Amino acid sequence: MTGKEETYIEEAFRTNWIAPNGPNVDAFEKEAARLLGVQAALAVQSGTAAIHLALELLGVGKEDTVFCSSLTFVASANPILYQGATPVFIDSEPDTWNMSPIALERALKEADQQYKLPKAIIVVHLYGQPARVREIKRLADQYGVPLVEDAAESLGSLYHYKPSGTHGAFGIYSFNGNKIITTSGGGMIVSDDEKAIEKARFYATQAKDPAPYYQHSLKGYNYRMSNILAGVGRAQLEVLELRVAARRKVFEKYEQELSQVEGFDMMPELTGTRSNRWLTALTIDDSKTGVSAQNLINILEKENIEARRVWKPLHLQPLFKDAQYYPHFEDQDVSTELFNQGICLPSGSGLTTEEQHRVLNTIRRALPSLVMNKRVL
Ligand SMILES: *Cc1c(COP(=O)(O)O)cnc(C)c1O
C-alpha cells in the first residue's frame, strides 16, 4: 500500500458509500481508461470475473470452442468451462514464452477446415511479457475470431508503446493481492467498444432490466467492485509506473548476476515491448548447472525464501486432460519445457537490495554445493 488509499477509503466511509458501485468505482474506471487509452472500463470483483464477462459478451456457449494459451494460471481458462464451452490450448513460443503464432495458425487452419472456428482467442501476457500481439491479431482478424487479452499479470506493460490489454476486442486485468497493483481482490474489463462495456455492466449487476421493478430477462452475475476497494485501486493506479520501475530494477539485478551462470536463461523481452517484469522468471538447464528449478526452490525454501515453479501448462492439468493441444512444432512442446525448467524468484516491488542479495547468495551457494553432492554420489 502507498498510504494514499486511506484517503479514498475514508471518503467512502464519510459519505457512507459502503456498497458495490459509488463514486470511487466511477473514478477508478475513468482513471484506468484514461491511463490505458481505452474508451471504457468496468471494475469487477476479480480478473476471472472479467474474463467471464468477456466470454459472455462474445456469446461463448455450449457448442463453442475457445482457444487459450496453455502456459498460464488456470483462471485464464476456467471461464471457458463456466460457459460450458470447450478449451483448445495453444503452446508458447521461445521468444516471449507466450502464445505461439505458428501453433495458433495451425490450430485456426484445422478448425476452419472443420467449420469449427473458435468463438474467441484468449491470449495471455505471461509474467508481464506481452505476447506477439501483431502476429496473433493478424491471424485472429484473418479468421474473424475476436481476441481477448488476459493482461492480469501485465498491467503497465507495453507492446509498441501501447498498453497490453488494449489491442484486442477486450482486455482484462486483475487486482488480486499478488499482482503489480492490488485492491486486495478485484479486476477490470476494458474495451474501445463502449456499448459492449455497458452490456458488461448490465451482466455484472444481475442483468436487471430497465424497469421500475426487479425484472430480469437474462442470466446475470453479481460481479461489481465495492466502492471501498475501488478507493484502494485509485491510489494504486497512481503508483503503477513506480511499481513497474521497481520490478524492472529487481529483474535487472537478478539478470546482472544470474545471466553469468552457464545454464541460466532469463525470460526474454521481445524487441518493441516493455514488460512490467511482474515476476522475474528464468529457466535452469540442470545438465549445465547440476541443480534443477525444483532443487533450487527447495534450497531457497530452507532459507525461508519463497520461489515458485512456472505455471504448469493447462494442457497437462488433470482438469483439462481431454482438451486438444497445439504445440509450437509437432516435435517441440515449448510450454512443457518451460514448466520443467522454469523458476520465478522473489520479485515484489518492495524487495530490498539486502533481501535480493540474500536470494542471490543462497543461489550462488546452492550451485557448487549441489555439484559437489553429485560428485559424492
Ligand atoms: C491472476 C490471474 C488471473 C485471475 O485474476 P483474479 O483476479 O485472481 O481472478 C487470470 N489470469 C492470469 C494469467 C492471472 O495471473
Side-chain angles (χ1 to χ4, degrees), residues 286-291 366-377:
D286 65 351
S287 71
K288 290 178 181 149
T289 58
V291 49
L367 289 174
S369 82
L370 241 119
V371 173
M372 269 164 58
N373 284 348
K374 265 202 160 164
R375 278 203 200 105
V376 173
L377 288 170

Side-chain angles (χ1 to χ4, degrees), residues 130-151:
R132 288 187 178 274
V133 172
R134 192 177 283 168
E135 288 89 335
I136 290 166
K137 224 179 128 175
R138 190 170 45 75
L139 286 166
D141 290 347
Q142 187 187 327
Y143 286 92
V145 183
L147 195 62
V148 176
E149 286 180 87
D150 179 348

Side-chain angles (χ1 to χ4, degrees), residues 259-277:
S259 58
Q260 317 278 345
V261 182
E262 169 88 5
F264 278 23
D265 282 299
M266 307 301 291
M267 183 175 186
E269 187 175 46
L270 186 70
T271 312
T273 68
R274 177 185 80 165
S275 170
N276 68 9
R277 296 296 194 194

Side-chain angles (χ1 to χ4, degrees), residues 73-84:
F73 182 45
V74 69
S76 302
N78 266 334
I80 302 170
L81 301 184
Y82 302 167
Q83 294 299 85

Side-chain angles (χ1 to χ4, degrees), residues 46-48 51 72-73 75-76 124 150 152-153 174-176 179 186 311:
S46 69
T48 311
I51 299 171
T72 181
F73 182 45
S76 302
V124 179
D150 179 348
E153 302 175 1
S174 166
F175 309 115
N176 194 40
K179 299 303 199 292
W311 300 124

